[in-house]
């Protein structure tokens, strides 16, 4: 086809959009409770070290694939190498679609809790009572499905505007809003009576708590928090201008992504300690523990609504990136226009999201490998296809496309020539081994 390729209008627009793709529920929801489960400050240091070495290196690799080809993931691998390599692209597109389907279910919960926080219906000082409210909500056959539909509609609406007028414009509004809300919530959390203990837990490393599981958790969190292995960064890289700076932009995206994770930790962990809750509460920390904490704060309903609005923004910017992976493929490979593809992809996402949501309630009797559909989709992507995709990207850039990859790395960048040696070593040796560990651990062999 002779379709004109869309591009970002500025480097800042790309950085904000790519950071929006990376910043998601993994940063604001998952990072604080994983940190709490793994000892606090020591985990934070290990996580940051991995993010700024392995994470940014794989991010650079994905951007190189996208920028050099100006194509979707499948088309990019076909153009660069052919053979069986396009399978990696197809896998990442399918992974993005599957993740989007159950991701929108969780994102719908954040929208619901934002509204319910204003009305006060999910705020009570009794965590057990809130746990019952949460269980009743997610197992309801209708309400969470309606919020999922609303969220998918918002995602499609942003994508309909295209790269510049849709994704980039939304990122320029949503990302500053996200940071503003984060700073407001940090200011409230760290000034609570008893918050000092939580701050110390989060920022003061205690390496006596570090175990092999801590390292694996940090590896997994660093990899997933940058939206790697799902085609999003390849797709966003394909919208870069031919000689845009990859190294500097990737570093800026990584800084923003890590900053959101750290600020989220400063929102949640000081508040948890201030009210005597357990930092090891796991996934329930967000929808069960935190509402009980907000209920005990002055103007708690307002801070709760702000927090869940923050979660919804983070989820939306990531969901748009996941949907764009699917849109880019069908626009590059076929003749359909953006509007038709975006709406069709949104409908298909909803079609898979509905049974994923219902599997937590009325369809819980239907299982795949002993897991309900929601958990099965999560396991398939997070434990298998995401790390496998990231591993193959690292091997591809490190060994198959090694010389051209290094040329693309330094093209358009004043920073990259000083870093190309380190990047070469990490992408060839360190990243494959680290991601292989994530994959093996996810499959339960460690």
């Amino acid at each position: 086809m002779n379709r004109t390729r869309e591009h970002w209008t500025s480097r800042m627009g790309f950085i904000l959009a790519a950071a929006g793709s990376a910043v998601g529920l993994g940063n604001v929801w998952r990072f604080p409770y994983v940190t709490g489960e793994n000892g606090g400050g020591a985990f934070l240091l290990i996580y940051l070290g991995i993010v700024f070495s392995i994470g940014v290196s794989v991010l650079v690799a994905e951007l190189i694939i996208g920028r050099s080809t100006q194509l979707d993931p499948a088309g990019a691998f076909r153009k660069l190498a052919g053979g069986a390599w396009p399978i990696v692209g197809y896998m990442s597109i399918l992974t993005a679609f599957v993740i989007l389907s159950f991701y929108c279910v969780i994102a719908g919960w954040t929208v619901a809790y934002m509204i319910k926080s204003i009305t006060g219906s999910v705020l009570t000082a009794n965590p057990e009572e809130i746990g019952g409210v949460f269980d009743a909500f997610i197992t309801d056959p209708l309400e969470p499905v309606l919020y999922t539909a609303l969220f998918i509609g918002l995602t499609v609406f942003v994508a309909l505007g295209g790269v510049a007028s849709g994704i980039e414009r939304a990122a320029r509004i949503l990302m500053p809003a996200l940071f503003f809300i984060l700073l407001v919530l940090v200011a409230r959390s760290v000034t609570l009576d008893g918050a000092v203990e939580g701050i110390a837990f989060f920022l003061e490393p205690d390496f006596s708590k570090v175990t092999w599981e801590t390292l694996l958790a940090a590896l997994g969190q660093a990899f997933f928090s940058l939206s790697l292995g799902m085609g999003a960064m390849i797709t966003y890289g394909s919208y870069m201008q031919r000689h845009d700076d990859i190294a500097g932009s990737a570093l800026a995206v990584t800084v923003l992504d890590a900053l959101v994770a750290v600020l989220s930790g400063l929102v949640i962990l000081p508040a948890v300690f201030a009210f005597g809750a357990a930092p090891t509460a796991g996934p329930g920390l967000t929808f069960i523990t935190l509402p009980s904490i907000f209920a005990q704060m002055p103007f708690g309903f307002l801070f709760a609504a702000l927090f869940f609005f923050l979660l919804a923004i983070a989820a939306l910017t990531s969901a748009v990136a996941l949907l764009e992976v699917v849109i880019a493929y069908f626009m590059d490979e076929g003749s359909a226009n953006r509007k038709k593809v975006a709406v069709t992809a949104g409908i298909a996402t909803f079609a898979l999201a509905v049974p994923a949501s219902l599997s937590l309630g009325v369809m819980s009797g239907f299982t795949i490998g002993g897991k309900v559909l929601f958990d099965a989709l999560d396991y398939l992507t997070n434990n298998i296809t995401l790390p496998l995709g990231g591993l193959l990207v690292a091997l591809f850039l490190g060994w198959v496309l090694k010389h051209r990859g290094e040329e693309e790395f330094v093209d358009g960048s004043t920073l990259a020539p000083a870093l190309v040696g380190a990047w070469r070593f990490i992408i060839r040796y360190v990243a494959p081994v680290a991601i292989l560990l994530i994959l093996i651990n996810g499959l339960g062999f460690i």
Side-chain angles (χ1 to χ4, degrees):
M1 286 193 62
N2 294 316
R3 186 187 301 279
T4 300
R5 191 70 177 175
E6 297 178 88
H7 290 103
W8 310 108
T9 62
S10 68
R11 182 177 180 228
M12 181 55 66
F14 162 70
I15 289 172
L16 289 174
S21 170
V23 170
L25 295 175
N27 300 69
V28 186
W29 174 21
R30 191 175 188 272
F31 175 77
Y33 81 71
V34 173
T35 303
E37 290 175 333
N38 288 278
F43 174 86
L44 173 62
L45 279 183
I46 296 170
Y47 162 78
L48 291 175
I50 294 171
V51 161
F52 284 100
S53 55
I54 299 170
V56 74
S57 296
V58 180
L59 172 57
V60 164
E62 294 203 3
L63 292 178
I64 286 173
I65 293 171
R67 191 193 69 173
S68 64
T69 60
Q70 303 282 288
L71 289 169
D72 66 277
F77 279 101
R78 186 184 305 115
K79 181 176 180 179
L80 290 172
W85 282 104
I87 294 174
V88 181
Y90 288 118
M91 182 176 67
S92 66
I93 294 165
L94 181 61
T95 297
F97 172 71
V98 172
I99 290 176
L100 181 63
S101 66
F102 68 82
Y103 193 86
C104 285
V105 174
I106 304 172
W109 300 348
T110 69
V111 176
Y113 264 59
M114 178 184 70
I115 296 171
K116 292 173 182 290
S117 295
I118 296 172
T119 63
S121 61
V122 294
L123 299 182
T124 172
N126 186 339
E128 291 185 5
E129 185 178 338
I130 294 180
V133 170
F134 179 63
D135 288 341
F137 168 67
I138 65 172
T139 57
D140 187 273
L142 181 60
E143 191 178 10
V145 170
L146 293 177
Y147 281 107
T148 299
L150 172 62
F151 186 84
I152 292 175
L154 289 172
T155 305
V156 171
F157 175 76
V158 173
L160 284 173
V163 173
S165 300
I167 302 171
E168 185 175 343
R169 179 178 293 177
R172 287 180 177 274
I173 296 170
L174 295 175
M175 291 306 291
L178 181 146
F179 276 99
F180 175 76
I181 295 170
L182 263 176
L183 291 173
V184 170
L185 291 170
V186 167
R188 170 66 282 195
S189 183
V190 299
T191 54
L192 291 167
D193 290 338
V196 174
E197 186 180 352
I199 297 171
F201 172 82
F202 183 51
L203 299 181
E204 293 181 5
D206 180 359
F207 289 102
S208 67
K209 297 181 179 179
V210 175
T211 64
W212 177 242
E213 286 72 24
T214 307
L215 178 61
L216 288 173
L219 271 171
Q221 179 63 32
F223 181 78
F224 299 133
S225 73
L226 283 170
S227 293
L228 303 175
M230 60 184 73
M233 290 305 177
I234 294 177
T235 303
Y236 275 20
S238 75
Y239 298 136
M240 297 177 78
Q241 298 287 349
R242 186 62 192 82
H243 300 289
D244 283 349
D245 179 2
I246 285 180
S249 298
L251 183 59
V253 170
T254 306
V255 168
L256 290 176
D257 179 74
L259 183 58
V260 170
V262 172
L263 290 175
S264 297
L266 287 174
V267 169
I268 293 174
L269 292 172
V272 166
F273 275 85
F275 288 94
T280 56
L285 190 66
T286 298
F287 291 99
I288 298 173
T289 305
L290 279 179
S292 70
I293 291 173
F294 286 126
Q296 300 172 64
M297 289 185 188
F299 301 103
F301 73 94
L302 176 60
F303 291 108
L306 277 175
F307 175 75
F308 287 109
F309 182 47
L310 166 72
L311 272 180
I313 291 175
L316 180 60
T317 54
S318 292
V320 168
L322 291 168
L323 183 63
E324 187 62 23
V325 174
V326 180
I327 291 173
Y329 169 73
F330 283 104
M331 289 184 67
D332 285 351
E333 303 290 325
S335 58
N337 61 33
R338 173 173 286 274
K339 181 178 180 180
K340 180 178 179 180
V341 173
V343 172
T344 303
I347 293 171
T349 300
F350 183 67
L352 183 55
V354 170
S357 178
L358 295 179
S359 71
L360 300 174
V362 294
M363 288 180 57
S364 60
F366 172 76
T367 60
I368 302 173
K371 300 178 185 294
V372 299
L373 180 61
F374 185 99
D375 292 337
L377 296 177
D378 179 51
Y379 180 85
L380 171 67
T381 52
N382 282 323
N383 293 62
I384 301 174
T385 60
L386 273 178
L388 181 58
L391 174 63
L392 292 172
V393 164
L395 293 174
F396 183 73
L397 260 292
W399 298 99
V400 178
L401 205 71
K402 52 186 177 181
H403 297 304
R404 180 173 175 181
E406 291 170 17
E407 292 171 1
E408 292 283 349
F409 180 58
V410 300
D411 185 16
S413 174
T414 57
L415 175 67
L419 301 174
V420 67
W423 178 75
R424 180 194 305 124
F425 178 76
I426 292 172
I427 207 65
R428 286 188 184 181
Y429 304 106
V430 182
V433 172
I435 300 171
L436 186 60
L437 285 174
I438 297 171
L439 179 60
I440 294 172
N441 182 58
L443 293 173
F445 294 121
I446 297 181

